[in-house]
Amino acid sequence: MSREQLKKELEARLDRSKMPTHIGIIMDGNGRWAKNLGKSRLKGHQQGARGIKAIIRYANAIGIKHVSLYAFSVENWSRPAFEVYALMKLLKTYLIQQRNELHEEGVVFRLVGRRDNLPAEIIKEAEISTKLMQNNTGLNLNLCFNYGGRAEIVDAVKKIVQSGISPDKITEETIRQNLYWPEIPDVDLMIRTSGEMRTSNFHLWRCAYSELYFTPVFWPDFDEAELLNAILAFQGRERRFGLTSAQLGSQES
Ligand code: IPE
Ligand code: IPE
Ligand code: MG
């Protein structure tokens, strides 16, 4: 069966009433994908960046409202300087080249992460994209770059302390409102490619009740059929949020 036929078949099994609102993707395995083909790690990153378009377009077409892509973690600065440089350059190229197409598809764009140590030109290009797409109503693409879940919580705490709020007024909602982009909802489905089974500091606050999905497929090979497999697995799960199955059953009836 071709990938296209498989995609059609999987798509027919989707329950449109149980779609995840927010999918987080840890796009891992670019380096190993390249190594397996005798290519450089940078080729792996290029191929990985190329694949983003199809996934975003398809997620938008099937009605997903938020996709967060983990593209560079705060820990990734410790990689060899040439790789870090290449990833910065790749992001800048991506922002410029994909802007109009994303806009035409009605996507809303955000760069999510720490900004103070990012090159100014990246911030500038990201802001142009965000502004261009701010009134769109399609999928929200949250590109997590220079992102760390702990860094995000630390930065939120700093803002809360600076606001002078009294400690007894602090609730979970206070923290949520001080995350990088408060409008980004909790992650429903967290996907990690490449067979690694960890969260690597991604979306810590928003993944408290995420369903986790791991696939051995390397990110450059992750296609629409793979995305559908993940969503179908999600739809087969029972999300209990601390309740019992019986309670959920009675809520439904
Ligand atoms: C993910 O691929 C991309 C980034 C972390 C920037 P990797 O570069 O981590 O690929 P592997 O894990 O070495 O295969
Ligand atoms: C996580 O991948 C970060 C991104 C995908 C951007 P890593 O490859 O950096 O994670 P670890 O180091 O294997 O946990
Ligand atoms: Mg990796």
Side-chain angles (χ1 to χ4, degrees):
M1 192 194 300
S2 73
R3 294 302 282 178
E4 196 53 34
Q5 277 172 306
L6 177 65
K7 181 177 132 186
K8 290 258 148 33
E9 203 163 282
L10 294 170
E11 196 180 297
R13 282 166 42 200
L14 276 186
D15 178 347
R16 301 284 174 159
S17 70
K18 274 177 76 177
M19 297 296 275
T21 301
H22 184 183
I23 300 180
I25 308 182
I26 304 175
M27 306 185 292
D28 199 10
N30 292 348
R32 280 163 285 165
W33 177 89
K35 191 165 181 236
N36 282 350
L37 296 171
K39 299 178 187 216
S40 70
R41 293 181 58 82
L42 302 190
K43 286 269 181 280
H45 293 316
Q46 281 165 2
Q47 191 64 21
R50 239 174 255 139
I52 290 175
K53 180 157 68 175
I55 294 298
I56 294 302
R57 182 188 295 152
Y58 188 60
N60 193 19
I62 59 175
I64 304 293
K65 288 316 290 179
H66 280 264
V67 171
S68 285
L69 297 178
Y70 202 10
F72 189 88
S73 71
V74 290
E75 287 80 16
N76 289 146
W77 287 105
S78 304
R79 291 192 176 193
F82 71 91
E83 183 167 342
V84 170
Y85 176 76
L87 289 165
M88 296 290 154
K89 219 172 129 200
L90 200 57
L91 172 63
K92 190 180 160 198
T93 310
Y94 175 83
L95 287 170
I96 296 170
Q97 284 181 354
Q98 302 290 310
R99 184 177 286 142
N100 289 332
E101 213 166 304
L102 289 171
H103 181 44
E104 274 161 28
E105 289 185 25
V107 167
V108 176
F109 179 84
R110 299 185 184 90
L111 191 70
V112 184
R114 270 205 178 138
R115 290 176 173 235
D116 48 13
N117 54 343
L118 277 181
E121 51 185 3
I122 286 188
I123 305 285
K124 189 186 105 198
E125 295 301 340
E127 281 175 355
I128 294 172
S129 295
T130 301
K131 194 145 186 272
L132 176 71
M133 298 180 232
Q134 65 187 349
N135 296 322
N136 289 346
T137 55
L139 177 145
N140 290 257
L141 169 55
N142 309 312
L143 192 64
C144 300
F145 197 97
N146 196 22
Y147 177 86
R150 287 181 174 175
E152 182 176 34
I153 294 171
V154 168
D155 291 348
V157 170
K158 284 184 186 165
K159 282 189 258 171
I160 293 167
V161 170
Q162 274 161 4
S163 77
I165 186 175
S166 133
D168 54 296
K169 293 263 170 8
I170 295 176
T171 62
E172 291 187 3
E173 187 53 22
T174 319
I175 297 188
R176 198 189 62 75
Q177 279 171 5
N178 284 282
L179 296 176
Y180 292 137
W181 296 86
E183 55 270 66
I184 302 176
D186 281 353
V187 177
D188 299 300
L189 167 62
M190 168 94 81
I191 299 171
R192 184 169 189 149
T193 58
S194 89
E196 307 297 347
M197 297 191 195
R198 53 180 172 268
T199 51
S200 299
N201 204 9
F202 191 38
H203 267 326
L204 291 187
W205 184 269
R206 298 183 188 84
C207 81
Y209 265 98
S210 303
E211 293 297 330
L212 308 179
Y213 179 87
F214 301 103
T215 167
V217 170
F218 294 134
W219 172 251
D221 290 329
F222 189 89
D223 62 4
E224 291 102 320
E226 296 295 339
L227 180 68
L228 285 165
N229 274 327
I231 299 174
L232 287 168
F234 168 86
Q235 294 188 332
R237 310 252 183 108
E238 181 179 60
R239 302 185 78 194
R240 289 196 281 277
F241 297 100
L243 307 184
T244 66
S245 268
Q247 283 177 299
L248 292 168
S250 63
Q251 277 180 352
E252 262 170 28
S253 61

